[in-house]
Amino acid sequence: MAWKPTEIPDQTGRTYVITGANGGLGAETTKVLAAKGATVVMACRNAEKAKEVAAEIPGDVRVAALDLADLTSVRAFAEQSGEIDVLVNNAGLMNIPFSRTTDGFETQFGVNHLGHFALTGLLLDRVRDRVVTLASIAHKQTPKLWIDDLNYENRRYQRNLAYAQAKLANLMFARELQRRLAESGSKKRSYAVHPGVSATDLFARTETPLDHVSKPFIRLIGHAPAKAAHSTLFAATMPDADPDIYWGPTRLFGSQGPVRPSSSSRLSKNPELQRRLWSESERLTGITYRF
């Protein structure tokens, strides 16, 4: 039987932080968790837009400013954050033109991976239960992880490969975090999930003509945002969810369907590369994890 959000246990008394929750999968995840009794903090760059979305969601929904493209903002958010049960690393950018973050990182890698890496490291001592990080089936599209040039200092920028690299980094980070938590004897868990394909605003920010035609096509092969959020909700709430499994839809090459154990590339499972990515991420962000 396919898993459904109706199976989520009562979440009263639990607090969630969801990055990028002012639209798409983040907003859908917020709606379900708030309806189940959770306190949800929508951590968003555009706080005003987030407040408009939050006003339409019944329950204990709060908004806090967080710009993952600026490590100063990440630190400020972490400093004012109390204890939480679950951190959902949901925010992301896809296939955008070349740019750099405030700290000089290539923007897709900086926001999708490094911003979340820093945020998780700063909050980990206040996370009581688990961390859920959204990767993507697009991680399979990159032939390698350019560990010595993660920020495109010495190679030509290709927006699709930059996105694939960032999503590969998300997946590898989640796995390495789980390994380190388990090794330290912690009861906290780290999950990697993917949502399949869904017609969210990710497909309307490339600043190309595709912004005007991609959503109708995506609707044909993917599934609705509410269903695409199922893998996040499953990993974030189910007590017996296995953190060593990459959860997501598996139909039509992973683009749609119910939550299942999902396939991932051989590259994503490379333990030595996971450790090297971790070390580089600590160096770049200046955030050192303590377990």
Side-chain angles (χ1 to χ4, degrees):
M1 295 292 291
W3 181 86
K4 296 179 180 179
T6 52
E7 299 177 42
I8 296 174
D10 179 49
Q11 297 297 297
T12 301
R14 285 169 65 82
T15 299
Y16 289 75
V17 168
I18 305 176
T19 65
N22 59 324
L25 306 183
E28 295 294 341
T29 303
T30 299
K31 291 175 188 176
V32 174
L33 293 173
K36 289 288 183 176
T39 294
V40 183
V41 179
M42 301 169 64
C44 306
R45 181 182 61 83
N46 190 336
E48 292 306 311
K49 181 180 177 182
K51 289 176 182 177
E52 293 175 4
V53 175
E56 300 297 321
I57 302 176
D60 188 358
V61 179
R62 309 172 188 183
V63 173
L66 170 65
D67 184 355
L68 291 165
D70 183 349
L71 291 181
T72 298
S73 175
V74 174
R75 289 182 181 276
F77 175 87
E79 286 173 2
Q80 58 84 39
S81 180
E83 288 196 339
I84 63 175
D85 293 281
V86 182
L87 170 63
V88 179
N89 292 323
N90 164 83
L93 298 170
M94 184 177 74
N95 294 353
I96 61 171
F98 180 79
S99 62
R100 294 200 178 277
T101 68
T102 301
D103 304 283
F105 308 135
E106 184 278 310
T107 300
Q108 292 192 80
F109 187 73
V111 169
N112 295 358
H113 170 62
L114 290 175
H116 283 127
F117 180 90
L119 178 67
T120 305
L122 292 168
L123 290 180
L124 193 59
D125 64 338
R126 280 162 280 173
V127 175
R128 290 185 285 244
D129 185 7
R130 63 187 76 181
V131 177
V132 180
T133 301
L134 271 72
S136 168
I137 57 176
H139 85 272
K140 298 179 181 180
Q141 296 174 5
T142 181
K144 63 181 290 186
L145 182 70
W146 283 266
I147 195 68
D148 296 319
D149 192 18
L150 294 168
N151 280 309
Y152 282 86
E153 301 286 352
N154 302 301
R155 57 191 167 114
R156 182 171 67 87
Y157 180 72
Q158 294 175 266
R159 62 177 75 195
N160 62 316
L161 285 182
Y163 179 68
Q165 174 183 257
K167 291 287 107 177
L168 174 63
N170 286 149
L171 177 51
M172 297 177 80
F173 159 64
R175 286 174 164 164
E176 179 65 6
L177 177 58
Q178 173 58 24
R179 186 191 69 78
R180 292 178 183 232
L181 287 169
E183 188 177 71
S184 71
S186 174
K187 293 183 179 180
K188 300 176 186 179
R189 289 168 284 177
S190 169
Y191 293 83
V193 304
H194 79 84
V197 175
S198 188
T200 67
D201 285 344
L202 275 182
F203 290 91
R205 296 174 180 167
T206 67
E207 298 182 26
T208 70
L210 288 175
D211 289 349
H212 306 290
V213 299
S214 59
K215 276 193 173 184
F217 173 72
I218 294 303
R219 289 191 183 99
L220 291 176
I221 64 171
H223 51 185
K227 287 189 177 180
H230 283 194
S231 51
T232 300
L233 289 163
F234 174 84
T237 63
M238 300 309 289
D240 297 327
D242 187 343
D244 293 320
I245 290 176
Y246 180 40
W247 295 102
T250 58
R251 292 178 187 163
L252 201 61
F253 306 102
S255 62
Q256 59 174 260
V259 180
R260 294 276 190 269
S262 187
S263 65
S264 61
S265 67
R266 180 179 297 182
L267 188 62
S268 72
K269 302 172 186 176
N270 185 316
E272 176 58 27
L273 200 54
Q274 289 171 5
R275 286 189 284 270
R276 290 186 65 191
L277 174 63
W278 188 281
S279 296
E280 275 297 289
S281 300
E282 287 193 329
R283 182 184 70 81
L284 290 166
T285 63
I287 305 298
T288 301
Y289 280 58
R290 292 176 173 79
F291 294 90

